[in-house]
Amino acid sequence: MTSNAPVVILLGPPGAGKGTQADALVERWCLVHVSTGDILRAAVAEGTPLGLEAKRHMDAGELVPDEVVIGIARERLARDDVQTGGVLLDGFPRTIAQAEALAQALGELGMRPPVVVNLEVDDDVVVRRLSTRRMCRGCGAIFNLQTDGLDVGDRCPKCGGEVYQRDDDKAEAIRERLRVYYAQTAPLIGFYEERGLLLSVAAAGSVEEVSGRTIEAVAQGLGG
Ligand code: AP5
């Protein structure tokens, strides 16, 4: 079986805006949005065995073990919607082992090599964005205290769900996530650069400015 459906990866440090930019890309190319963070948070909310294991790592700002996340991603990629419409990967891969497993899975599924967009942003911007991020418990929408004015306990303007702050958006966990990012995820920039798959986008500036640059990069990567 082969599929010509696009595969797009959003790389970047925590808080770079991967989840925020995913919306624009998914809409533009009708991609299936696969966020390993969202899948893991759903498992935590449901209290499944996977969720219980993941929560420990996530709250501490650590990565969930490769074998767990690779299993989740492989299963999701093999589904018909991805094969037909293509996929936007947000938060996966995050280690070299995950990138290698992804390349193998795409090969086995007969899918195209990915277009990889790296959202580049300074650490001080990351810390500011994450410490002021708020999310909806109902629909998973992403907000920001500074730009959207929503705070913990407010109702989500999209679905009426409860607005909350992620446990891993507390100062200590943010510091650890940045440390883990540089140690384990940043090497993926070189990995994809060597394979001629990497496109870099400056991710400072407004959401709309970054969306414009990100869409342009993906269009270039997909060949127009
Ligand atoms: P995950 O949910 O993937 O977290 P992350 O990669 O750390 O990314 P974030 O969700 O924190 O940030 P983002 O880049 O999506 O930014 P956002 O758009 O929200 O993973 C969570 C945890 O799950 C991990 O720590 C790990 O434990 C585990 N996990 C997940 N995947 C894994 C994997 N593959 N392997 C192992 N473990 C895994 O934006 C942030 C804020 O900034 C928001 O408030 C937003 O409104 C605001 N904002 C965004 N863009 C702008 C802009 N241009 N201007 C102003 N504000 C902006």
Side-chain angles (χ1 to χ4, degrees), residues 144-214:
N144 194 279
L145 179 59
Q146 289 182 327
T147 50
D148 302 308
L150 289 174
D151 205 351
V152 173
D154 289 345
R155 305 315 295 188
C156 169
K158 295 186 179 170
C159 78
E162 182 200 350
V163 171
Y164 77 108
Q165 182 177 30
R166 278 169 46 175
D167 286 337
D168 61 351
D169 281 347
K170 308 283 165 62
E172 196 180 324
I174 292 173
R175 272 196 301 277
E176 178 61 10
R177 285 162 68 197
L178 267 173
R179 191 194 65 72
V180 167
Y181 166 76
Y182 284 111
Q184 300 194 55
T185 306
L188 291 180
I189 296 171
F191 178 93
Y192 285 118
E193 210 161 30
E194 279 167 19
R195 287 158 180 76
L197 299 171
L198 190 83
L199 296 159
S200 293
V201 165
S206 71
V207 171
E208 294 72 23
E209 285 165 349
V210 180
S211 289
R213 292 195 281 268
T214 307

Side-chain angles (χ1 to χ4, degrees), residues 3 5-7 29-32 79-87 111:
S3 162
V7 178
W29 281 279
C30 297
L31 303 169
V32 177
R79 290 198 214 161
D80 285 348
D81 56 352
V82 168
Q83 299 293 304
T84 312
V87 65
M111 297 184 75

